[in-house]
Amino acid sequence: SIMNIRTKIDKLLFNPDGQVLAMASRYDKDQGFKLMHVPSQTVFSNWPTTKTPLNSVMSMDFSSNGEYLSVGNVKGKCLLYRLNYYANN
């Protein structure tokens, strides 16, 4: 089990190569989004931080090569993040 999200998860999405799982809960605007490295079953602790302006996540998607992650929130904003691990692959 994944103990890092303590509310109902209503969105799950694998990146294109299946190594990263994005998990979101719209019920927790502060801690309701996590990324997990699937092979090691480790939740990334360095992102998102408390200063990442995600708010309540309503949608998310990875780019076709997995280098970018877009996140749409309840405030109507679409945020785009570069996943550095995939930038050089």
Side-chain angles (χ1 to χ4, degrees), residues 19-85:
Q19 290 193 44
V20 177
L21 174 63
M23 303 168 282
S25 172
R26 66 177 166 211
Y27 305 103
D28 185 346
K29 69 177 187 157
D30 297 321
Q31 299 293 318
F33 186 85
K34 299 290 181 184
L35 294 176
M36 182 178 84
H37 182 249
V38 175
S40 67
Q41 297 182 3
T42 303
V43 174
F44 291 96
S45 61
N46 62 339
W47 192 87
T49 68
T50 55
K51 295 182 189 254
T52 307
L54 293 178
N55 208 290
S56 296
V57 174
M58 299 303 288
S59 63
M60 58 192 176
D61 203 1
F62 290 97
S63 63
S64 60
N65 65 355
E67 186 177 350
Y68 293 94
L69 170 67
S70 62
V71 179
N73 68 24
V74 73
K75 292 185 174 185
K77 296 191 178 203
C78 183
L79 308 162
L80 184 64
Y81 296 96
R82 184 176 185 190
L83 304 177
N84 291 329
Y85 175 81

